[in-house]
Amino acid sequence: VALKRMLNFNVPPVKNSTGEPVWKVLIYDRFGQDIISPLLSVKELRDMGITLHLLLHSDRDAIPDVPAVYFVMPTEENIDRMCQDLRNQLYESYYLNFISAISRSKLEDIANAAIGANAVTQVAKVFDQYLNFITLEDDMFVLCNQNKELVSYRAINRPDITDTEMETIMDTIVDSLFCFFVTLGAIPIIRCSRGTAAEMVAVKLDKKLRENLRDARNSLFTGDTLGAGQFSFQRPLLVLVDRNIDLATPLHHTWTYQALVHDVLDFHLNRVNLEESAGTEGTPAGARPKKKNKKSYDLTTSDKFWQKHKGSPFPEVAESVQQELESYRAQEDEVKRLKSIMGIEGEDEGAISMLSDNTAKLTSAVSSLPELLEKKRLIDLHTNVATAVLEHIKSRKLDVYFEYEEKIMSKSTLDKSLLDMISDPDAGTPEDKMRLFLIYYISSAQAPSEIDLEQYKKALTDAGCNLAPLSYIKQWK
């Protein structure tokens, strides 16, 4: 809703207006691109009048009679580039939207550039959008994708981190969370574990929210925000937890569809990239091997199958794809059958009455074609994705890992020794083995004795594992 409002020059889009949308250009940086791409397709942008969407730092031609909507982070280099656009008189008018709040001094830089370029009248609106987070699903968002290693577990926990670096990381996290609550239009109740990085985030966020509420005229939570403002009694609960509380879960091999796609395939911002393996048979000897095709698919909220099955265990998903395929084939056969009947000869009564009957059926079959095609597209998509996942499961015995780790984590008895699993050359990659052993190490009540540990270490090294993670976890434990 917030993005659509922004693309409509910061006024809420009018429902049922028959008028053509105002044609405009959208200029974003990498951060803006990541925020928009999971939510709005190119078609939706076009429906809103966006004819062209370009990266801020690409070479852009002047389009003097078109308004431009900017959606960027207020960084030095972005501001410089925007000032340059003003000087070069690239567009008819400028709507500047900042992903998170812009500082006073940077605003003055833009003002000076606009005065210098004689373009003050053309800068139509300047807005802080407070949209510095990436929404992937109706109820899930992540903080950042660009430079995400800057706010990762490793960044916070590495031994040589300086205080200023830590402050920067915390500010980045707080800024994103603050933006989220502004967009939600609600003030959270914050809970956190003490003495951890989570507490630092909580304290900073609390301070930022209070400062904003103190200034009643400019508060982001009163007045015409998207939500009902601060006076609603339904306040959300924000629980901030340090990753160290539960290190085993992110290492755990999974068994549900979405988690498997995320674990074994290349899956970012709701888009999965697959390499199709080229067939070897059928190529004459001495011919060059075929190139691997790269395909990417979007797994979004509009994909009914994904919405329904992303949390299902993998075997169920495979079964459902099969069922969808069968129902699709049945519908397709029906259309074919009707077509063949249409070519009837002979003038007997039966045929005529059958014809009028079938005409109605055929009409309904034809009108359901777009739906059929969409169904076919989704079936193909999930067949390909599920097949790719299945190849990983088979080649790495991921089902065995999943069951074994479940047993370790629920402290039930193991039917096969851990050493056998690690030394089995057919089971999994070195990384799989390391993950399994780390889960065992984290979950076990008392650490294995030195003698046992040496044995495990030898087995892991033989399997080609890098032992660095183990020494980290050992020290952490």
Side-chain angles (χ1 to χ4, degrees), residues 129-130 133 174-190 205-236 238:
Q129 286 294 348
Y130 294 102
F133 56 94
V174 168
D175 182 58
S176 289
L177 288 173
F178 183 72
C179 287
F180 172 73
F181 285 109
V182 172
T183 306
L184 202 62
I187 304 280
I189 296 164
I190 306 176
L205 182 61
D206 177 69
K207 186 169 161 230
K208 195 163 181 166
L209 287 164
R210 283 175 199 281
E211 276 169 9
N212 190 271
L213 289 171
R214 200 167 294 135
D215 179 0
R217 278 174 326 186
N218 295 327
S219 171
L220 296 161
F221 295 95
T222 50
D224 64 337
T225 47
L226 299 170
Q230 82 206 55
F231 301 113
S232 70
F233 292 106
Q234 290 294 319
R235 285 175 60 193
L238 172 67

Side-chain angles (χ1 to χ4, degrees), residues 117 150 199 382 433:
L150 294 183
E199 188 179 20
H382 287 288
K433 297 181 180 187

Side-chain angles (χ1 to χ4, degrees), residues 417-461:
S417 88
L418 189 62
L419 263 177
D420 292 352
M421 279 285 287
I422 295 172
S423 341
D424 177 0
D426 295 337
T429 58
E431 189 189 65
D432 291 325
K433 297 181 180 187
M434 197 68 210
R435 278 164 65 176
L436 170 72
F437 186 70
L438 290 179
I439 291 175
Y440 164 72
Y441 195 87
I442 294 167
S443 308
S444 57
Q446 71 269 15
S449 66
E450 280 302 317
I451 303 165
D452 288 354
L453 195 60
E454 282 310 313
Q455 244 187 325
Y456 284 126
K457 273 186 178 169
K458 184 180 180 317
L460 286 164
T461 319

Side-chain angles (χ1 to χ4, degrees), residues 1-14 48 95 125 127 129:
V1 172
L3 280 176
K4 285 182 174 165
R5 180 177 173 147
M6 174 189 90
L7 295 175
N8 203 35
F9 304 127
N10 290 298
V11 287
V14 188
M48 297 183 66
Y95 293 81
K125 288 181 179 173
F127 265 85
Q129 286 294 348

